[in-house]
């Protein structure tokens, strides 16, 4: 038994509280690792020189305060308590100010949705008029809790070649609601979840709210570190793995087919499910990347697939869909209905007609052409102007670049504040980690909200700060 558990007691404070405080300090300082098994009650009592009841009360206090969790038959395990992400709220406040005040003089490298100048407003107005002429009041008052049936049929036909049952397609209000619905349906308190490191902050918030035990695994250039991933599977019963298979947010990496197949194999072997957030996969700029999501390769019905139309089509009127495995169909349907009774029926009907009439495919083609120009310009400028300060993986698609500082002489939060004072907004890496300090020296910049001139100005200002 290690000496780190030994403690000199003070008379005024109950012993179990002092022991618990010592263990919390060890966990916070990473002397006890997240997920590490704590000594048995009898063993720890013997080492410290107290009775078993004292250690029972110690472990009960640790569990109540979020510093430990128990596995029936296996013992008690350390759980590093998440730091309250104060900066996340502050960052959101600034981000909202950009939108609310319409500050056109700023350089917004933080925005992720398409610029209003690219929204096909005239086309969409004509589609809405066609829907109203065709369906009348039904377009406004009819509610279908699982989603407009014709939209579900069109999604199946246009995107999945009629390989799905429409009963397994649910319409939701964007990817965030999709993650929330999936989590409510399959994750219980103290279930174990694996996420990529880093990952989408909105997903982390959902899993924390479900009080799941979160395991992080580092990303490589073609997906998650499989060796480290399987080590966790061998030692823990995992309920699900959350992944962004294309142009991962924030890193921009896309999974290789080999890693997808291996993860699907592991899902079957170790009995867990994959929540696939198919993020921005329409925006592929290089022919070497083929769109073949986990769900398309899924032979054992292990994937809950989530797709949003919000980022590239309807930012303000949130729409997306979930494909459910048969085993979770009813629980996901109930979770959807309990979350909201129905999603906007007019917008669903308009989207269905927009897709069916071929407008959607044409719009995506237009966006790819326009965004590819910005992607190429921003990538070239990063190499030329920032190459001595940062390293990055070329995403070959999507809307963002993720930059890691070579020298740790400024944190991403400090850089955020310095650039904000010059009218440039970036996204600090701390937003994307369970423990914010892990993102201190990385940041994301995107080109969705900036034209070519602002890209040049913004990169120049970043270079000034870094040098």
């Amino acid at each position: 038994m290690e000496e780190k558990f030994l403690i000199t007691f003070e008379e005024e404070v109950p012993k179990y509280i002092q022991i618990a405080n010592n263990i919390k300090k060890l966990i916070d300082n990473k002397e006890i690792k997240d997920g590490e098994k704590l000594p048995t009650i009898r063993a720890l009592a013997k080492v410290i020189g107290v009775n078993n009841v004292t250690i029972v009360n110690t472990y009960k206090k640790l569990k109540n305060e979020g510093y430990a969790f128990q596995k029936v038959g296996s013992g008690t395990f350390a759980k590093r308590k998440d730091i309250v992400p104060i900066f996340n709220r502050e960052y959101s406040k600034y981000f909202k100010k950009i939108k609310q005040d319409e500050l056109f003089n700023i350089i917004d490298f933080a925005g992720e949705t398409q610029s209003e100048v690219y929204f096909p407003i005239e086309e969409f107005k004509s589609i809405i008029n066609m829907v109203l002429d065709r369906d009348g009041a039904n377009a406004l008052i009819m509610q279908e809790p699982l989603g407009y049936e014709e939209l579900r049929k069109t999604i199946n036909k246009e995107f999945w070649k009629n390989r799905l049952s429409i009963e397994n397609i649910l319409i939701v209000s964007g990817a965030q609601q999709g993650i929330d619905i999936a989590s409510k349906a399959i994750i219980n308190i103290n279930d174990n979840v694996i996420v990529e490191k880093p990952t989408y902050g909105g997903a982390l918030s959902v899993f924390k709210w479900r009080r799941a035990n979160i395991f992080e695994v580092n990303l490589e250039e073609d997906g998650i570190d499989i060796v480290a991933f399987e080590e966790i599977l061998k030692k823990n019963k995992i309920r699900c793995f959350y992944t962004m298979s294309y142009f991962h947010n924030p890193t921009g990496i896309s999974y290789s087919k080999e890693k997808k197949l291996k993860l699907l194999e592991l899902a079957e072997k170790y009995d867990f499910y994959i929540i696939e957030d198919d993020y921005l996969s329409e925006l592929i700029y290089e022919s070497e990347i083929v769109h073949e999501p986990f769900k398309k390769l899924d032979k054992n019905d292990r994937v809950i697939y989530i797709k949003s139309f919000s980022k590239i089509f309807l930012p303000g009127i949130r729409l997306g869909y979930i494909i459910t495995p048969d085993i979770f169909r009813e629980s996901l349907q109930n979770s959807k209905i309990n979350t909201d009774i129905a999603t906007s029926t007019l917008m669903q009907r308009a989207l269905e007609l927009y897709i069916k009439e071929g407008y959607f495919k044409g719009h995506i083609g237009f966006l790819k052409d326009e965004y590819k120009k910005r992607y190429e310009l921003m990538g070239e400028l990063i190499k030329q102007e920032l190459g001595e300060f940062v390293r990055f993986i070329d995403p070959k698609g999507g809307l963002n670049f993720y930059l890691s500082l070579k020298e740790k002489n400024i944190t991403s939060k400090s850089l955020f504040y310095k650039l904000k004072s010059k009218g440039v907004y970036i996204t600090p890496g701390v937003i994307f980690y369970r423990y914010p300090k892990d993102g201190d020296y990385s940041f994301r910049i995107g080109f969705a909200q900036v034209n070519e001139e602002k890209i040049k100005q913004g990169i120049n200002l970043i270079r000034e700060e870094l040098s």
Side-chain angles (χ1 to χ4, degrees):
M1 181 70 63
E2 296 181 42
E3 294 182 356
K4 61 188 177 187
F5 291 103
L6 296 176
I7 183 171
T8 302
F9 291 112
E10 299 174 7
E11 292 185 7
E12 297 81 6
V13 182
K15 289 182 178 180
Y16 81 93
I17 292 178
Q18 295 181 63
I19 299 168
N21 288 340
N22 181 53
I23 293 175
K24 286 191 290 185
K25 183 178 178 181
L26 293 171
I27 293 171
D28 286 336
N29 293 337
K30 298 185 181 180
E31 293 179 60
I32 298 177
K33 295 179 181 177
D34 191 31
E36 182 180 328
K37 186 175 180 179
L38 297 174
T40 64
I41 291 169
R42 184 177 298 175
L44 188 57
K46 185 176 180 180
V47 165
I48 298 178
V50 295
N51 60 45
N52 289 352
V53 173
T54 299
I55 304 303
V56 168
N57 289 332
T58 297
Y59 283 175
K60 187 182 295 184
K61 178 176 175 61
L62 290 172
K63 283 185 284 185
N64 289 341
E65 294 182 8
Y67 275 93
F69 63 96
Q70 194 169 37
K71 294 182 184 177
V72 178
S74 298
T76 303
F77 295 79
K79 183 176 182 181
R80 189 175 169 205
K81 195 170 182 183
D82 296 325
I83 300 167
V84 178
I86 297 171
F87 176 76
N88 291 27
R89 295 196 294 270
E90 192 173 351
Y91 170 79
S92 297
K93 179 183 72 176
Y94 289 126
F95 191 70
K96 287 175 184 175
K97 183 176 175 60
I98 295 172
K99 304 306 174 190
Q100 291 169 354
D101 294 353
E102 298 184 328
L103 301 175
F104 295 111
N105 59 324
I106 65 102
I107 297 172
D108 181 10
F109 285 156
E112 293 181 80
T113 56
Q114 70 177 62
S115 172
E116 65 275 8
V117 299
Y118 286 163
F119 185 76
I121 188 69
E122 294 304 321
E123 279 181 4
F124 201 63
K125 279 168 63 178
S126 68
I127 287 290
I128 289 177
N129 289 333
M130 288 169 66
V131 169
L132 291 171
D133 290 341
R134 183 191 68 188
D135 300 342
N138 283 339
L140 299 170
I141 63 175
M142 287 288 290
Q143 290 188 337
E144 297 181 58
L146 305 183
Y148 177 47
E149 185 172 332
E150 288 302 314
L151 175 56
R152 292 153 70 200
K153 287 179 179 177
T154 296
I155 287 170
N156 191 17
K157 178 183 177 183
E158 297 295 329
F159 303 139
W160 296 92
K161 310 301 181 189
N162 285 323
R163 289 196 296 265
L164 307 172
S165 165
I166 69 160
E167 296 302 314
N168 287 21
I169 300 174
L170 302 178
I171 305 301
V172 294
S173 301
Q176 183 66 37
Q177 190 190 61
I179 297 165
D180 184 57
I181 287 169
S183 297
K184 287 177 181 175
I186 72 170
I187 298 173
N188 295 311
I189 293 173
N190 279 333
D191 276 351
N192 297 320
V193 175
I194 297 179
V195 300
E196 296 145 336
K197 184 180 182 182
T199 192
Y200 169 50
L204 281 175
S205 296
V206 169
F207 301 141
K208 289 175 186 176
W209 181 78
R210 294 298 296 167
R211 294 176 64 187
N213 303 312
I214 302 171
F215 294 83
E216 296 176 299
V217 179
N218 288 326
L219 281 167
E220 299 173 330
E221 290 197 17
D222 65 340
I224 205 162
D225 180 339
I226 293 289
V227 174
F229 188 93
E230 190 166 9
E231 282 302 309
I232 292 175
L233 295 175
K234 289 175 182 176
K235 298 174 184 176
N236 303 273
K237 174 58 182 169
I238 298 300
R239 182 59 170 164
C240 70
F241 165 48
Y242 169 76
T243 180
M244 307 183 85
S245 48
Y246 284 88
F247 314 125
H248 172 270
N249 184 17
T251 66
I253 72 101
S254 296
Y255 274 72
S256 64
K257 184 173 183 177
E258 291 73 24
K259 282 206 170 171
K260 290 175 195 168
L261 291 171
K262 182 61 178 176
L263 285 161
L264 288 166
E265 176 191 317
L266 292 175
E268 184 68 11
K269 179 179 178 180
Y270 291 97
D271 189 24
F272 67 90
Y273 290 86
I274 296 171
I275 299 177
E276 179 179 17
D277 186 352
D278 189 0
Y279 176 75
L280 293 180
S281 60
E282 294 86 354
L283 300 179
I284 294 173
Y285 307 135
E286 305 291 344
S287 58
E288 66 200 73
I289 296 181
V290 178
H291 186 231
E292 198 170 29
F294 281 91
K295 191 62 187 176
K296 188 175 179 181
L297 302 169
D298 181 21
K299 292 182 171 60
N300 297 307
D301 216 17
R302 287 280 169 183
V303 178
I304 300 169
Y305 177 89
I306 300 172
K307 183 66 189 174
S308 173
F309 295 107
S310 302
K311 288 284 187 276
I312 56 167
F313 183 59
L314 292 170
I317 308 167
R318 305 191 64 78
L319 283 175
Y321 66 96
I322 299 178
I323 301 173
T324 74
D326 287 336
I327 191 173
F328 294 127
R329 179 194 296 164
E330 186 176 343
S331 59
L332 276 160
Q333 288 176 349
N334 290 337
S335 179
K336 155 67 178 168
I337 293 167
N338 291 335
T339 300
D340 70 10
I341 296 172
T343 307
S344 168
T345 182
L346 174 60
M347 288 304 112
Q348 288 187 67
R349 289 165 188 255
L351 177 60
E352 187 276 328
L353 192 58
Y354 195 84
I355 295 170
K356 183 185 286 183
E357 294 296 318
Y359 290 114
F360 184 81
K361 187 175 181 181
H363 179 58
I364 294 300
F366 167 73
L367 285 182
K368 282 178 67 173
D369 290 342
E370 292 300 316
Y371 283 137
K372 186 177 181 180
K373 297 173 190 173
R374 303 188 194 182
Y375 152 77
E376 291 175 340
L377 175 63
M378 181 173 273
E380 194 58 37
L381 287 173
I382 291 171
K383 291 174 188 174
Q384 291 176 3
E385 303 297 326
L386 305 181
E388 64 183 288
F389 307 108
V390 303
R391 59 178 66 89
F392 71 100
I393 296 170
D394 185 353
K396 299 181 171 62
L399 295 171
N400 304 298
F401 286 86
Y402 190 62
L403 312 180
S404 298
L405 296 170
K406 291 179 179 178
E407 301 292 335
K408 297 181 178 181
N409 50 15
I410 185 172
T411 67
S412 59
K413 285 196 292 185
S414 296
L415 184 62
F416 169 81
Y417 289 121
K418 286 178 179 293
L419 288 170
K420 182 178 73 70
S421 69
K422 296 185 175 183
V424 180
Y425 284 76
I426 62 169
T427 305
V430 296
I431 301 293
F432 305 107
Y433 289 85
R434 182 183 174 196
Y435 303 118
K437 284 191 69 64
D438 290 337
D440 270 348
Y441 303 104
S442 58
F443 60 99
R444 189 191 69 194
I445 57 174
F447 46 86
Q449 294 288 332
V450 283
N451 58 28
E452 293 183 0
E453 186 57 37
K454 285 194 172 184
I455 290 173
K456 294 174 183 176
Q457 293 173 7
I459 295 294
N460 187 54
L461 287 167
I462 291 174
R463 177 180 172 78
E464 286 181 8
E465 285 303 330
L466 293 180
S467 59

